[in-house]
Amino acid sequence: MRVSPARAVLVAALGCAVLSGGYRAAAGQPQSPAHVADQAGQAAEVPAEASAVPNGGRAWWSPGEARDLPQAIEYENAHGRLTLYNQGGPVETSGHPFFEPLGPNGRACVSCHQPADGMSLSITSIRERWEETAGRDPIFAAIDGSDCPSLPQGEAASHSLLLERGLFRVFLPWPPRDPWGAGRIEPEFKLEVVRDPAGCNLDPTYGLASDNPMVSVYRRPRMVANLPYVVHRNFGVGPFVGKTGEPALRDPENGQPVNMNLMADARQPTLGTQAMEASVTHLQLLNGLNPAQIAQITAFERQLFAAQTRDLHAGDLLAGPGGRAFGPRNLADGEIGVLGNNITRWVFPIDEAWGEPQARLTAEQNARRASIFRGQRIFHFRTFWIRDSMHLNTVGLGNPTKRTCATCHGMHMTGLDTANGWMDIGTTNLPWAREVPRNPWTTERERMPLFRITCRADLPPHPYYGREFYTQDPGRALISGKCNDVGTIVMQQFRGLAARPPYFSNGSAATLRELIDFYDRRYNIQYSEQEKVDLENFMATL
């Protein structure tokens, strides 16, 4: 394989045995899965130049901006108010590696994990920042803030997936690497590009036929808050992945199994290794973070808790007894990594006293609180038939199985899955994935890539899709190479939803109502209009 001069320099800087297929971290750095070396090679190829852009004021935190983060800070959103709470107290951001632009493209971690957006990034913030900076903010960096680095930068059409659906480009080697080994994984399926609107999968420099073959998919940034729940090692975490039976990833520092709920495809085992990959790919910091920077970033991330504290129509969610589900301080004090059972430990505990009419509240506030309370009961108790969902209907529950929202979103206080693993509910695989309709009444065209998956003839076909099917994002299969993993995604937490639309890993639900409607169609739940309203009102308070 030919190695470009830029990549050769990178190999020396990282101390990675790229040419032999392995990855070795530089002195003092934590070991990361082998795919990072290939990603680093592409990061070295992409031009990186920081622009001087204005600071964004109270709501937008620019890299290197000299101001401090208080212990608690509130931000308004379309449904009310979110509060960000730092359990460790105020943070001096000057010189802090989470807030400083460490790489050449001017980004910092905070660029894509904004406090006002629940430490994620909302489509509203993205579009406002485009207008304020004429597309020159570091979040639009060519490496992944554009649909492909080869496109003309600074033009809205070249950043369409970020501007229209809040998606960043994720580029991963194909075929996959053995995470901790020297070799490649032989995929169980053939991957073909059927549609490539951005042109990146077919690009001669950045695509599948390049010297450093990469698959480009497009995903939302995850929430960097409430992370003690996300990386817990309590219920359901062991040597094997509960849904598939395969060995779980282990923490490279202590050898302990991890829950693999950190990223959409579970490719990184710890906050430290995730920070290292992000510094190379998102910040284009080609020599990676040093151990002190990693320690400071991960300690900061473990202290942050975010949740709604006020609803536009119900008022203060923390007022009165019984609202144990609400607010970041309750999250900080909650039981971490335990299964909500809906009897003695709710997933989202709201007691009956909170839902009862209160004389001090207006009629509108009491009515909205009653709706929120009903939505919480719908989430926990409204049953429906779940069918044909990989790594859900295949784990002994039956197909179909009659369950509730809380079955999968069962972790106390967050709605995460307590057990490790990933599943396919159809958000990226056809026929359920969102596709732009082709008809005479619309001129809109699909921007998402589409891949044809053909499972190998010497192996069983996918149990629900057959031998050949189509996906916008193969999900976990880009890491495992397994046919049954195509389209499977690690679920996200339910906190701060009001602050960070759109939803799902591919941004296919623009609103909470669209998210609910997707589940209603996918599983033929047949929610009533009132049930949809109540469920939306409840989810907006989390």
Side-chain angles (χ1 to χ4, degrees):
M1 181 180 71
R2 180 179 65 84
V3 180
S4 70
R7 194 171 183 221
V9 171
L10 176 68
V11 171
L14 284 178
C16 305
V18 176
L19 300 184
S20 64
Y23 178 91
R24 183 176 67 254
Q29 291 176 338
Q31 186 182 13
S32 290
H35 68 262
V36 177
D38 293 318
Q39 292 175 301
Q42 183 164 124
E45 300 280 359
V46 180
E49 182 178 350
S51 299
V53 296
N55 293 335
R58 180 176 180 270
W60 183 268
W61 290 69
S62 294
E65 189 175 348
R67 57 174 166 153
D68 295 336
L69 185 69
Q71 183 169 30
I73 188 168
E74 297 180 340
Y75 290 100
E76 304 295 329
N77 54 54
H79 291 274
R81 182 185 302 155
L82 174 125
T83 299
L84 183 69
Y85 170 65
N86 189 333
Q87 197 174 31
V91 173
E92 184 178 342
T93 63
S94 180
H96 195 293
F98 190 92
F99 295 89
E100 289 292 339
L102 303 176
N105 62 22
R107 277 182 179 167
C109 302
V110 74
S111 295
C112 302
H113 300 286
Q114 290 285 323
D117 296 338
M119 301 304 291
S120 179
L121 195 58
S122 72
I123 193 73
T124 299
S125 294
I126 292 167
R127 291 170 177 171
E128 287 178 352
R129 201 61 183 154
W130 177 271
E131 294 297 326
E132 290 167 358
T133 68
R136 296 170 62 244
D137 190 275
I139 64 168
F140 305 108
I143 181 69
D144 59 1
S146 65
D147 298 349
C148 192
S150 59
L151 296 172
Q153 298 302 302
E155 298 180 8
S158 300
H159 304 266
S160 64
L161 287 165
L162 185 53
L163 291 169
E164 294 171 11
R165 287 173 66 167
L167 305 178
F168 289 89
R169 187 175 73 99
V170 175
F171 48 99
L172 295 165
W174 189 257
R177 281 186 177 272
D178 182 336
W180 305 108
R184 300 280 183 177
I185 294 173
E186 181 183 1
E188 295 181 353
F189 58 91
K190 180 181 178 181
L191 179 75
E192 300 174 273
V193 179
V194 175
R195 180 180 67 213
D196 191 32
C200 226
N201 286 292
L202 300 178
D203 190 273
T205 301
Y206 305 112
L208 283 160
S210 67
D211 293 331
N212 182 21
M214 289 279 170
V215 177
S216 289
V217 292
Y218 301 84
R219 297 173 183 165
R220 294 279 292 129
R222 294 210 156 194
M223 186 181 187
V224 181
N226 313 321
L227 290 185
Y229 290 90
V230 179
V231 298
H232 81 92
R233 292 180 179 173
N234 296 330
F235 178 87
V237 179
F240 300 97
V241 176
K243 298 181 182 67
T244 65
E246 65 192 81
L249 282 180
R250 291 178 178 266
D251 187 327
E253 294 186 7
N254 57 34
Q256 295 298 310
V258 298
N259 68 7
M260 303 178 70
N261 282 338
L262 186 59
M263 304 186 77
D265 54 21
R267 68 182 182 270
Q268 288 291 354
T270 69
L271 290 174
T273 62
Q274 186 277 330
M276 176 60 75
E277 177 181 339
S279 71
V280 172
T281 57
H282 301 314
L283 308 187
Q284 293 178 273
L285 184 65
L286 300 185
N287 58 350
L289 299 164
N290 64 47
Q293 291 169 327
I294 292 174
Q296 197 172 0
I297 288 172
T298 57
F300 170 71
E301 291 176 339
R302 287 178 178 273
Q303 296 174 348
L304 291 177
F305 295 87
Q308 289 286 103
T309 49
R310 186 173 185 83
D311 181 83
L312 285 179
H313 302 282
D316 184 359
L317 297 170
L318 299 173
R324 294 176 292 138
F326 300 123
R329 293 175 190 257
N330 281 330
L331 269 167
D333 295 336
E335 294 180 86
I336 292 172
V338 295
L339 184 65
N341 60 20
N342 303 351
I343 301 172
T344 60
R345 184 195 294 119
W346 298 87
V347 177
F348 296 110
I350 305 176
D351 299 331
E352 290 189 12
W354 187 91
E356 294 174 351
Q358 298 185 34
R360 62 179 180 81
L361 300 178
T362 66
E364 179 189 28
Q365 289 174 324
N366 278 320
R368 178 55 64 97
R369 285 166 69 103
S371 174
I372 292 166
F373 187 74
R374 291 194 302 268
Q376 188 254 18
R377 292 320 199 243
I378 292 168
F379 178 89
H380 288 90
F381 293 122
R382 173 64 153 86
T383 57
F384 54 92
W385 290 102
I386 302 173
R387 65 178 71 246
D388 298 343
S389 293
M390 195 67 208
H391 302 325
L392 194 165
N393 294 111
T394 54
V395 297
L397 298 176
N399 187 29
T401 181
K402 198 170 190 180
R403 301 282 167 159
T404 74
C405 300
T407 297
C408 296
H409 298 280
M411 187 192 295
H412 181 56
M413 295 298 286
T414 64
L416 281 160
D417 197 340
T418 49
N420 51 18
W422 33 90
M423 61 182 67
D424 165 37
I425 63 170
T427 55
T428 70
N429 288 346
L430 272 57
W432 298 107
R434 172 185 164 186
E435 287 274 299
V436 173
R438 293 296 185 94
N439 59 53
W441 296 275
T442 180
T443 58
E444 184 182 1
R445 291 294 178 261
E446 185 60 75
R447 298 297 306 161
M448 298 294 288
L450 190 67
F451 305 95
R452 179 185 294 112
I453 303 297
T454 305
C455 302
R456 281 170 28 196
D458 61 328
L459 296 172
H462 191 288
Y464 305 131
Y465 297 118
R467 184 76 60 190
E468 181 179 292
F469 55 101
Y470 297 84
T471 186
Q472 298 174 354
D473 181 347
R476 174 65 184 175
L478 290 178
I479 307 302
S480 70
K482 296 182 181 295
C483 186
N484 284 352
D485 281 344
V486 172
T488 59
I489 299 291
V490 176
M491 69 177 62
Q492 296 195 55
Q493 57 176 301
F494 271 29
R495 307 309 303 220
L497 288 171
R500 53 186 180 93
Y503 308 105
F504 295 132
S505 66
N506 60 1
S508 57
T511 64
L512 289 173
R513 179 55 181 263
E514 286 187 18
L515 182 151
I516 294 166
D517 285 342
F518 173 84
Y519 278 101
D520 195 39
R521 292 191 304 272
R522 172 64 179 88
Y523 296 113
N524 193 29
I525 301 174
Q526 299 185 39
Y527 284 131
S528 69
E529 177 61 23
Q530 187 62 60
E531 285 177 317
K532 290 182 179 182
V533 169
D534 293 341
L535 191 54
E536 179 182 3
N537 289 341
F538 162 66
M539 294 173 68
T541 66
L542 297 175

